[in-house]
């Protein structure tokens, strides 16, 4: 589940200098300038999504970062697709539909999420413990931690990585809400 971010939340996020420079909201025709523009936007998208815990960007919907009302500028669909495509090319995002309209933003790599899960399990003495995926995303134990609100796709991929390493075993419950994971005591 992606966290909804409204325009009001832009005020508590530190925007870089270029965000108020109108040309950066238009794809630049000069190759070197465009490469710099793409790099700046990639970094900004990752930082913004991490700050606001946004996991999914839908190109068909308004996204606050892509609109700057103070300079009356908005990224074109082409620019948004190019910047997200550049993140995909680097492995920092993935298209989650064939039409390339929705993008999963990996502001942390799956490996990093797996490490965070292991640290959480260790710090909370949950070795040999069992948790549902819902508890990992929205449970009292994870409230206030980096795991709170984690995207389900990111969580499952991280747990599958831990399962491949022998550090967790995933299991299916009778409904989607009670799918779970048992963590190994073997570290």
């Amino acid at each position: 589940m992606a966290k909804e971010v409204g325009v009001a939340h832009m005020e508590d996020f530190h925007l870089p200098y270029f965000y108020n420079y109108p040309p950066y909201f238009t794809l630049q025709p000069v190759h070197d300038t465009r490469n710099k523009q793409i790099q700046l936007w990639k970094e900004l998208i990752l930082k913004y999504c991490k700050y606001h815990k946004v996991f999914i960007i839908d190109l068909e919907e308004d996204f606050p970062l892509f609109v700057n009302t103070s300079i009356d500028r908005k990224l074109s669909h082409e620019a948004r697709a190019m910047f997200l495509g550049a993140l995909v090319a680097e492995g920092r995002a993935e298209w989650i539909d064939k039409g390339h309209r929705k993008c999963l933003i990996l502001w942390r790599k799956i490996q990093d999420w797996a490490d965070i899960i292991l640290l959480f399990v260790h710090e909370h003495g949950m070795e040999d413990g069992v948790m549902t995926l819902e508890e990992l995303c929205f449970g009292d134990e994870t409230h206030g931690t980096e795991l709170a609100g984690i995207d389900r796709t990111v969580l499952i991929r991280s747990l599958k990585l831990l399962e491949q390493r022998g550090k967790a075993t995933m299991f299916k419950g009778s409904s989607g809400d009670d799918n779970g994971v048992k963590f190994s005591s073997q570290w």
Side-chain angles (χ1 to χ4, degrees), residues 109-128:
K109 295 177 183 175
I110 297 299
Q111 166 67 47
D112 296 337
W113 280 114
D115 292 342
I116 288 168
I117 292 168
L118 281 182
L119 183 62
F120 171 83
V121 167
H122 181 68
E123 287 177 347
H124 290 83
M126 302 182 83
E127 296 90 343
D128 275 334

Side-chain angles (χ1 to χ4, degrees), residues 50-110:
K50 180 178 180 181
Y51 185 85
H52 289 292
K53 288 191 126 180
V54 172
F55 290 91
I56 307 285
I57 296 178
D58 187 331
L59 287 178
E60 305 302 318
E61 295 177 6
D62 286 335
F63 188 67
L65 187 62
F66 297 154
V67 178
N68 186 335
T69 55
S70 68
I71 60 171
D72 196 28
R73 291 288 190 266
K74 179 179 180 179
L75 285 177
S76 68
H77 187 277
E78 178 187 10
R80 290 178 286 163
M82 180 175 285
F83 300 151
L84 293 176
L87 285 170
V88 169
E90 285 185 357
R92 298 306 308 263
E94 297 174 1
W95 295 112
I96 56 177
D97 65 332
K98 290 181 182 180
H100 290 195
R101 289 183 301 274
K102 291 186 178 185
C103 195
L104 175 67
I105 306 299
L106 298 171
W107 39 271
R108 285 201 194 284
K109 295 177 183 175
I110 297 299

Side-chain angles (χ1 to χ4, degrees), residues 5-180:
V5 179
V7 176
H9 289 102
M10 291 293 286
E11 296 166 4
D12 58 357
F13 176 74
H14 177 69
L15 293 163
Y17 71 93
F18 79 85
Y19 192 76
N20 289 313
Y21 187 55
Y24 272 87
F25 280 82
T26 305
L27 285 176
Q28 296 300 300
V30 177
H31 180 69
D32 289 346
T33 307
R34 182 177 288 199
N35 285 342
K36 178 66 173 172
Q37 178 187 31
I38 291 169
Q39 184 61 35
L40 289 171
W41 273 102
K42 287 187 310 185
E43 291 169 7
L44 178 57
I45 291 166
L46 291 172
K47 287 177 184 174
Y48 181 88
C49 289
K50 180 178 180 181
Y51 185 85
H52 289 292
K53 288 191 126 180
V54 172
F55 290 91
I56 307 285
I57 296 178
D58 187 331
L59 287 178
E60 305 302 318
E61 295 177 6
D62 286 335
F63 188 67
L65 187 62
F66 297 154
V67 178
N68 186 335
T69 55
S70 68
I71 60 171
D72 196 28
R73 291 288 190 266
K74 179 179 180 179
L75 285 177
S76 68
H77 187 277
E78 178 187 10
R80 290 178 286 163
M82 180 175 285
F83 300 151
L84 293 176
L87 285 170
V88 169
E90 285 185 357
R92 298 306 308 263
E94 297 174 1
W95 295 112
I96 56 177
D97 65 332
K98 290 181 182 180
H100 290 195
R101 289 183 301 274
K102 291 186 178 185
C103 195
L104 175 67
I105 306 299
L106 298 171
W107 39 271
R108 285 201 194 284
K109 295 177 183 175
I110 297 299
Q111 166 67 47
D112 296 337
W113 280 114
D115 292 342
I116 288 168
I117 292 168
L118 281 182
L119 183 62
F120 171 83
V121 167
H122 181 68
E123 287 177 347
H124 290 83
M126 302 182 83
E127 296 90 343
D128 275 334
V130 176
M131 291 186 80
T132 66
L133 300 188
E134 284 297 307
E135 287 174 321
L136 276 168
C137 292
F138 306 109
D140 291 339
E141 296 88 357
T142 59
H143 182 74
T145 71
E146 291 185 81
L147 293 175
I150 187 173
D151 179 80
R152 194 170 182 90
T153 301
V154 172
L155 176 63
I156 289 170
R157 289 190 42 213
S158 302
L159 291 172
K160 284 183 179 179
L161 181 61
L162 292 175
E163 193 170 40
Q164 290 169 359
R165 293 188 192 153
K167 302 200 183 276
T169 304
M170 294 179 61
F171 58 87
K172 292 195 180 290
S174 57
S175 72
D177 288 347
D178 61 358
N179 289 344

